[in-house]
Amino acid sequence: MAATDATPKFQNRDFRPVPQPPDFHPEVVVSAHDGLRFWQFMIAGSIAGSVEHMAMFPVDTLKTHMQAMGSCPIKSVALGQALRSILKSDGPSGLYRGIGAMGLGAGPAHAVYFSVYEVCKKFFSGGNPNNSAAHAVSGVCATVASDAVFTPMDMVKQRLQLTNSPYKGVLDCVRRVMKEEGLRAFYASYRTTVIMNAPFTAVHFATYEAAKRGLREVSPDSVNDEGWVVHATAGAVAGALAAAVTTPLDVVKTQLQCQGVCGCDRFKTGSMRDVFRTIIEKDGYRGLMRGWMPRMLFHAPAAAICWSTYEASKSFFEELNSNSADRVVT
């Protein structure tokens, strides 16, 4: 009886349900930031980067073979011929040469990449999660920082990927390059890598955030149920587009990192202009698009894997933080 008498006290007309029109759809609200700690962004990014690159490594090996020029790489840009050439000379294991260097570089680099991106996105967005310019600028800041970590191991990885590579493994490559060419060789392509990855990342992040927002608006009622599909689809679109736009710069980067190995050209100045000129003289303008197909085949699924893994890791940490906060309150 007491409970029945108390009920009217909590009846407030401000809390009565408001009838909605039949065509009403709830607005998808995206938080400006996920509320994770800095180290959680780093772990999520490290996991995502490692899974992405390990899963797609054979395709990356094909791309490296097609982009390198000289006596060691094949002359044709055909994807099938590149695969047959590698299998004939090194067998299936040839597709995974250099994966150790990738493992050492991808985790730390992506930890820096995503943590810097999230911090910059929070700073530049000004509380507006739909700010595409903020996403692009944040992506550029992230790639400048992460490339400083990844470039040395990427150079080692690409030299090991070449057919008949003179190096026995990661440590042998690091030791010999340091002895014969010095520390500068590890960063010979850093400037080119940053110049390539800056527009790549700007296009990638802006496209990803826009595609993710668009996909969520198509079916706002099932956002939570199909979250991984949204992240994977948006990531694949963003990765493919960014890869296609920046292929010429990726060819230049491969040339600089593989110069002097297995008969590949060595450049006197190491400038981008010198490399561009050499490529055009030897193979015409089409040479600048060497490896565009495996590059897109790499980045589309790689970005889908990376973003879905990253968002899944973030969701895990968000739930972990929520549970910790609940325990503190109780």
Side-chain angles (χ1 to χ4, degrees):
M1 186 65 180
T4 305
D5 294 337
T7 302
K9 297 179 182 179
F10 296 93
Q11 290 181 346
N12 190 324
R13 59 185 177 182
D14 294 334
F15 294 96
R16 291 176 183 172
V18 178
Q20 302 294 345
D23 59 343
F24 171 76
H25 295 288
E27 181 182 1
V28 177
V29 179
V30 182
S31 60
H33 203 253
D34 300 296
L36 301 186
R37 298 178 179 86
F38 188 79
W39 65 268
Q40 291 174 329
F41 283 127
M42 294 190 74
I43 292 178
S46 180
I47 294 172
S50 298
V51 171
E52 165 201 355
H53 285 285
M54 295 300 183
M56 301 303 300
F57 193 82
V59 182
D60 183 67
T61 300
L62 290 172
K63 176 188 73 71
T64 297
H65 274 254
M66 294 175 69
Q67 289 181 342
M69 293 170 64
S71 61
C72 59
I74 58 171
K75 300 299 181 181
S76 174
V77 296
L79 185 62
Q81 189 172 349
L83 178 59
R84 288 192 295 271
S85 174
I86 296 170
L87 293 177
K88 182 179 179 179
S89 59
D90 297 320
S93 62
L95 294 170
Y96 291 91
R97 278 182 58 89
I99 195 170
M102 177 62 77
L104 292 172
H110 279 73
V112 173
Y113 187 83
F114 282 105
S115 56
V116 171
Y117 172 70
E118 294 288 354
V119 171
C120 291
K121 183 173 73 170
K122 181 180 180 181
F123 176 78
F124 290 119
S125 64
N128 177 15
N130 299 328
N131 189 337
S132 298
H135 299 151
V137 172
S138 300
V140 172
C141 294
T143 196
V144 171
S146 66
D147 284 342
V149 178
F150 188 63
T151 297
M153 281 297 102
D154 189 48
M155 183 276 291
V156 173
K157 181 260 304 180
Q158 288 203 310
R159 290 195 177 199
L160 289 172
Q161 285 176 321
L162 296 175
T163 301
N164 300 322
S165 173
Y167 307 109
K168 298 177 181 178
V170 175
L171 292 178
D172 180 55
C173 182
V174 171
R175 190 183 304 112
R176 289 178 57 181
V177 170
M178 180 67 75
K179 181 180 178 180
E180 298 169 7
E181 303 176 49
L183 182 63
R184 292 182 58 185
F186 291 96
Y187 285 93
S189 69
Y190 178 66
R191 181 175 59 181
T192 305
T193 301
V194 171
I195 292 174
M196 174 189 72
N197 282 341
F200 176 92
T201 309
V203 172
H204 186 118
F205 277 107
T207 304
Y208 171 75
E209 297 286 358
K212 183 175 66 173
R213 187 167 61 250
L215 290 169
R216 281 174 165 171
E217 290 174 354
V218 170
S219 182
D221 295 326
S222 57
V223 167
N224 293 330
D225 297 333
E226 301 177 359
W228 71 271
V229 177
V230 171
H231 297 307
T233 304
V237 172
L241 179 61
V245 171
T246 56
T247 293
L249 289 168
D250 189 51
V251 175
V252 173
K253 184 206 74 170
T254 299
Q255 292 286 298
L256 288 170
Q257 292 190 155
C258 296
Q259 60 180 316
V261 182
C262 298
C264 294
D265 295 318
R266 180 173 290 281
F267 304 96
K268 295 180 180 179
T269 63
S271 68
M272 289 179 58
R273 181 181 299 178
D274 186 23
V275 180
F276 270 118
R277 186 184 301 113
T278 301
I279 293 172
I280 293 172
E281 287 176 355
K282 294 186 68 173
D283 203 31
Y285 285 98
R286 69 174 185 174
L288 295 174
M289 294 302 294
R290 275 179 176 263
W292 69 269
M293 186 179 294
R295 180 165 164 79
M296 290 186 67
L297 289 175
F298 173 89
H299 281 285
I305 294 169
C306 184
W307 277 111
S308 54
T309 304
Y310 178 62
E311 297 290 353
S313 300
K314 282 170 58 178
S315 297
F316 169 78
F317 284 121
E318 287 170 6
E319 185 175 350
L320 182 66
N321 292 347
S322 178
N323 292 338
S324 299
D326 291 341
R327 284 196 297 269
V328 171
V329 171
T330 56

